[in-house]
Amino acid sequence: MYKGLRVVVVMPAYNAEKTVAQTYQEILEQEIVDTIILVDDASTDKTSEIAERLERIRVILHQTNKGYGANQKTCYKAALASEGDIVIMVHPDYQYTPKLIPAMAALIAEGLFDCVLGSRILGTGALKGGMPLYKYLANRTLTFGQNLLVGHKLSEYHTGYRAFSRKILETLHLESNSNDFVFDNQMLAQIIYNNFSIGEITCPTRYFAEASSISFQRAVKYGLGVIATSLEFRANKIGMMSSPRFNNITTN
């Protein structure tokens, strides 16, 4: 626990057999973590088998592949059921270092922010860490457009390393979001729309053969979904739309 608050780490997993144990071990080294939950989205490798042999980890297995967004929905429901006060998403592909967990948890526990993002763009390490140039340029371009449309200022909207207060997960209508990769972006848009505070810390960038990646076609689909989400956000803000994603606040 951290300052009397229960810290839960969730790992949305798919085909992470080569890196899940290494990620898990580094999470364990962060002594403030109370519970670790891994949701395996019907991997075709031995991800769940390896995870189930590890101690202090709860494994939830999707019988069919539901998508990255659907995986997160399961993660957050399980985290709330585990009485998590601070919930941190760490990808099991070891692309993001779990060593930042204490810092991210502290920013929420101290009441400074409701959400904390591990940004690969803050600082100068993204390209040095192996981020492909086209991904870097796409990230910067999309982020610039999003900041204009949603009226916020973040260094990036596309990191998968995130920490949330319990209040965020109890408030946002996450079921209205996509089951695919754009879920991440829709959730951030909801957080901003509902005036939750967001902090960012610099996160080292690590790209290597075992790290997960999406195809160019899915990346294009994601980019279009990001633009659509930002336009939907703006339309709701000025009263042109009233979509459940932004206006139907509920408890999940």
Side-chain angles (χ1 to χ4, degrees):
M1 300 183 80
Y2 185 87
K3 291 189 175 292
L5 300 176
R6 188 171 181 81
V7 179
V8 175
V9 169
V10 296
M11 293 195 288
Y14 181 70
N15 289 350
E17 66 176 7
K18 295 180 180 179
T19 54
V20 63
Q22 184 179 17
T23 306
Y24 163 82
Q25 186 57 48
E26 199 164 291
I27 292 172
L28 275 190
E29 293 171 4
Q30 316 315 308
E31 297 179 356
I32 66 170
V33 176
D34 296 286
T35 303
I36 304 171
I37 299 170
L38 181 141
V39 179
D40 184 348
D41 197 27
S43 293
T44 57
D45 65 5
K46 297 181 179 179
T47 296
S48 59
E49 295 176 35
I50 293 172
E52 286 172 349
R53 291 199 295 266
L54 303 173
E55 298 179 359
R56 288 187 55 195
I57 187 169
R58 177 188 174 195
V59 178
I60 300 173
L61 178 63
H62 285 174
Q63 295 303 316
T64 59
N65 184 267
K66 298 181 179 182
Y68 174 63
N71 192 320
Q72 284 193 64
K73 293 174 186 179
T74 301
C75 283
Y76 299 137
K77 288 177 182 177
L80 289 175
S82 296
E83 300 182 346
D85 299 300
I86 299 171
V87 179
I88 303 176
M89 177 174 71
V90 179
H91 289 183
D93 64 357
Y94 204 58
Q95 193 174 127
Y96 302 100
T97 173
K99 292 179 180 179
L100 291 177
I101 287 173
M104 297 173 80
L107 289 172
I108 294 176
E110 297 291 350
L112 298 174
F113 299 103
D114 302 300
C115 169
V116 178
L117 306 178
S119 172
R120 301 164 295 178
I121 303 301
L122 283 175
T124 60
L127 293 174
K128 291 181 181 179
M131 179 181 284
L133 180 60
Y134 80 91
K135 286 192 175 184
Y136 178 83
L137 294 175
N139 188 315
R140 304 307 299 130
T141 300
L142 285 173
T143 294
F144 176 78
Q146 288 174 272
N147 278 331
L148 289 177
L149 286 170
V150 306
H152 209 71
K153 188 177 181 180
L154 294 176
S155 67
E156 76 158 318
Y157 288 75
H158 315 292
T159 174
Y161 200 1
R162 302 165 175 224
F164 307 104
S165 67
R166 183 178 183 89
K167 186 176 180 181
I168 283 181
L169 300 181
E170 289 180 329
T171 300
L172 301 185
H173 188 206
L174 298 180
E175 289 299 326
S176 65
N177 292 343
S178 170
N179 286 336
D180 209 342
F181 286 99
V182 77
F183 173 94
D184 270 350
N185 210 259
Q186 292 170 337
M187 187 176 182
L188 268 186
Q190 289 174 311
I191 289 170
I192 295 168
Y193 191 92
N194 291 292
N195 298 314
F196 287 111
S197 57
I198 303 176
E200 295 182 280
I201 63 174
T202 302
C203 177
T205 306
R206 296 193 297 213
Y207 279 83
F208 49 93
E210 289 80 12
S212 62
S213 183
I214 62 175
S215 66
F216 178 77
Q217 291 81 1
R218 296 196 76 180
V220 170
K221 180 182 177 183
Y222 169 79
L224 293 174
V226 165
I227 295 170
T229 298
S230 299
L231 291 172
E232 181 187 8
F233 177 102
R234 178 51 49 195
N236 275 266
K237 274 291 186 184
I238 64 177
M240 290 181 61
M241 289 181 66
S242 181
S243 59
R245 180 172 296 117
F246 294 112
N247 295 323
N248 186 13
I249 312 235
T250 187
T251 298
N252 286 296

